[in-house]
Amino acid sequence: MADTILQGEKITRVFRQGKAETKVLDGIDIKIFEKDFTVIMGPSGSGKSTLLYSLSGMDQISGGRVLYRDQEISGLSETRMARLRAEEFGFVFQQTHLVSNLTLLENVLVAGYVSKKDSAEKVKERAANLLRQMDVEEAKDRLSSQVSGGEAQRAAIARAMIGKPGLLFADEPTGALNQANTREVLGLLTDLNRKGQSILMVTHDLQAAARGNRILYLEDGKVCDELALKPYNEMEEKQRERDVSQWLSGLRW
């Protein structure tokens, strides 16, 4: 059994507007394991992104607790939580959120300097290596507005990885990409996981979900089912997607 890297216990998240309350997360217990590629799926409005933000400390939970490497993080001050996110977590979103007046390289470098894990020279070396690994080295000196959506998302993955995160969070990372760029980004995430990177990804896309080795199904604010898969193999991709589709059909997805 792999070690638990992130754990949520009885997580609730309630949104209030006036006297009205909406419970989006309803007492969720969840474990994310080291080196797993864990995927969260579920219908629209089920709380997928809210769960990811709650586990990462980007959103404050209403009840329960979150532990990272056996240390409770849900009670940290915003300053300490921001430091933890900078040092231990990486984030990839549907929109890249790259700084528009910085080049791709500069976007990655700034994130590396914030993490304060390495010297400036080592950050520069790692940034160059990551952009090369993400196949955007030739575009590194262009502004984000001057590159394609696929190039920008690959640079965003490099930015997320610059601090050597213990856990990479991805929220619909292929949601704004065409089919070709989707496959490229999924391939990069798969390669990172094969090298030992722990990943927690929210997606509504069957092709993306099939890259995971563990899929959790969220409905009405609760984890109601789970599918375990073997590590991703390109030769079995179509069968893998059929297996996931059949499982989802049984859940009336």
Side-chain angles (χ1 to χ4, degrees), residues 216-233:
L216 306 176
Y217 192 81
L218 196 67
E219 189 170 24
D220 296 329
K222 295 179 180 289
V223 177
C224 62
D225 207 349
E226 176 178 340
L227 178 66
L229 297 167
K230 296 178 181 178
Y232 178 79
N233 184 335

Side-chain angles (χ1 to χ4, degrees), residues 35 84 97 107 119 135 156 162 193 215 239-240 242:
K35 300 183 180 181
L84 176 70
H97 300 296
N107 270 277
S119 66
D135 197 26
I162 188 67
N193 178 246
I215 307 176
Q239 181 59 53
R240 190 183 188 90
R242 285 193 291 269

Side-chain angles (χ1 to χ4, degrees), residues 26-30 39-43 46 48 51 214-227 247-248 250-253:
D26 190 8
I28 289 178
D29 290 318
I30 186 172
V39 176
I40 299 174
M41 298 193 78
S46 60
K48 301 185 297 295
L51 178 58
R214 181 178 177 230
I215 307 176
L216 306 176
Y217 192 81
L218 196 67
E219 189 170 24
D220 296 329
K222 295 179 180 289
V223 177
C224 62
D225 207 349
E226 176 178 340
L227 178 66
W247 174 69
L248 290 171
L251 293 167
R252 302 183 302 280
W253 180 69

Side-chain angles (χ1 to χ4, degrees), residues 98-104 107 142-148 152:
L98 294 173
V99 180
S100 60
N101 62 344
L102 297 181
T103 66
L104 299 187
N107 270 277
R142 299 178 195 165
L143 300 177
S144 59
S145 59
Q146 299 173 325
V147 301
S148 70

